[in-house]
Amino acid sequence: MASTTTPVTPDVETTPKGPVVLTPTAVSKVKEIMAQQNPVPAGLRIGVVGCGCSGFSYSMSFENAPGMMDKIYNFDDLKVYVDATSAMYLNGCIVDYMETLEAAGFKFENPNVKSTCGCGSSFSV
């Protein structure tokens, strides 16, 4: 009688989850903007900076190389650099790109945010 048991494999995560997730729409828009730069940057830095009326705000910038303390995440061949301090505040954050009749831009959905300011560009945790 043949055994029908399945071999047990440990629960191993092959692609580690980063502190931030970019939607396919956001990745596509970043790649589009990067392609227009001369020279084309190596990747995108996403971070949190201390400023604004609520204490923190998000930052996005193009980089030619990661910093010494950066973690590098890959989204469909787009390298995203996040420093260790920002990673604490971005944990679980989803970045999307939205286009409406009124405005277009990147939207951060961060589960760690306790409050935002009236202008919508800063937050507190």
Side-chain angles (χ1 to χ4, degrees):
M1 185 163 156
S3 174
T4 58
T5 55
T6 321
V8 177
T9 56
D11 187 18
V12 177
E13 193 172 33
T14 56
T15 54
K17 293 179 182 171
V20 65
V21 173
L22 274 73
T23 66
T25 306
V27 170
S28 176
K29 189 62 176 181
V30 170
K31 285 181 168 183
E32 176 186 322
I33 296 168
M34 282 177 70
Q36 298 170 3
Q37 307 298 308
N38 187 10
V40 175
L44 173 71
R45 172 172 304 284
I46 295 180
V48 172
V49 293
C51 70
C53 14
S54 292
F56 297 102
S57 79
Y58 300 108
S59 68
M60 295 176 74
S61 61
F62 293 126
E63 297 285 341
N64 291 321
M68 286 182 62
M69 302 302 287
D70 287 343
K71 294 282 187 184
I72 303 169
Y73 303 96
N74 196 334
F75 296 92
D76 191 26
D77 294 328
L78 170 66
K79 290 180 182 166
V80 175
Y81 310 128
V82 180
D83 65 86
T85 303
S86 293
M88 293 186 312
Y89 297 107
L90 291 170
N91 193 23
C93 186
I94 298 171
V95 180
D96 196 7
Y97 183 78
M98 309 287 289
E99 284 188 24
T100 67
L101 290 174
E102 296 87 25
F106 292 94
K107 179 181 178 190
F108 288 76
E109 292 181 30
N110 190 337
N112 305 304
V113 170
K114 302 282 187 265
S115 66
T116 59
C117 67
C119 67
S121 63
S122 67
F123 64 95
S124 66
V125 290

